[in-house]
Amino acid sequence: MDKEAIRQNLIKRLKSHNPADKEKLDKLLLDDITASEAYHTSQVLATYLAFSFEYDTQPLIERAVRDGKKVLVPRTCSQGKMVFASYHPEHLIKGRFGILEPDSSRETAEPSEIDLIHVPGLAFNAEGFRIGYGGGYYDRYLADFKGRTVSTVYAWQRLDFKEDAHDVAVMEVFSQ
């Protein structure tokens, strides 16, 4: 199966996921990520604002803020670029993909300022390579990123597929 077919199958499955089961798994995944060494040693966490059918990142954001971490979320830019800016709920606008993102008044962070990036994805293989939504934003950003990377997915999102030459593996993938 090619990446586009995998992508479409997983989006369909995610959208039909039982909400009560999803909530339980999201809590377990939150426990996994917040118990990790990568989380405990980070001061600056970059994460994403999720689609309703993805792992719910809002509890992670709230926990990181309570834990005294600086939280960053992505903003997409022209030419397939992405930057991370400070998370402030009052300064979020709908971005080009229908997801909330920081407005352009928010100061962006340099990659070297970020300790840990929580990376989204639809599927992950055993080596930590991912299938995302097809825009390549994270692969381009992570190509030169020197910090740690983690992801959270449901167990059925762990698949066997061949990565492409431009793909960048995530260091640690938590699944439930």
Side-chain angles (χ1 to χ4, degrees):
M1 192 178 307
D2 70 353
K3 282 188 173 184
E4 188 54 35
I6 292 170
R7 190 176 286 122
Q8 294 310 315
N9 278 342
L10 286 173
I11 289 172
K12 183 178 177 182
R13 186 162 180 193
L14 283 164
K15 287 181 176 180
S16 66
H17 202 186
N18 177 298
D21 292 343
K22 179 186 180 310
E23 186 176 334
K24 288 176 191 169
L25 292 174
D26 286 355
K27 170 73 173 91
L28 293 170
L29 288 166
L30 175 65
D31 292 345
D32 287 346
I33 193 171
T34 57
S36 72
E37 179 187 344
Y39 178 84
H40 280 286
T41 59
S42 68
Q43 295 300 310
V44 180
L45 168 69
T47 189
Y48 56 97
L49 298 168
F51 287 111
S52 62
F53 55 83
E54 290 180 294
Y55 167 76
D56 184 4
T57 57
Q58 198 58 45
L60 174 61
I61 291 168
E62 291 167 6
R63 170 75 183 268
V65 168
R66 279 195 317 272
D67 289 345
K69 298 181 187 305
K70 181 176 183 179
V71 177
L72 308 172
V73 292
R75 181 173 69 230
T76 55
C77 306
S78 62
Q79 301 171 335
K81 300 245 188 267
M82 176 179 76
V83 296
F84 284 96
S86 293
Y87 172 77
H88 296 283
E90 66 277 10
H91 292 283
L92 298 175
I93 58 170
K94 264 214 173 145
R96 67 178 64 164
F97 300 107
I99 291 282
L100 292 175
E101 58 181 46
D103 66 36
S104 59
S105 72
R106 307 298 356 152
E107 184 177 322
T108 60
E110 291 298 320
S112 62
E113 298 173 54
I114 303 170
D115 302 316
L116 178 62
I117 299 180
H118 175 231
V119 181
L122 292 168
F124 288 83
N125 68 16
E127 291 78 35
F129 289 98
R130 59 187 274 284
I131 295 176
Y133 290 93
Y137 288 91
Y138 274 88
D139 287 322
R140 281 187 287 278
Y141 194 91
L142 295 175
D144 298 317
F145 180 66
K146 305 295 185 225
R148 295 196 46 88
T149 54
V150 297
S151 290
T152 46
V153 294
Y154 309 119
W156 46 266
Q157 291 177 272
R158 301 298 298 256
L159 301 175
D160 185 26
F161 60 87
K162 178 79 173 115
E163 68 275 359
D164 293 329
H166 66 272
D167 290 343
V168 178
V170 171
M171 295 173 173
E172 194 171 9
V173 180
F174 299 102
S175 60
Q176 287 286 338

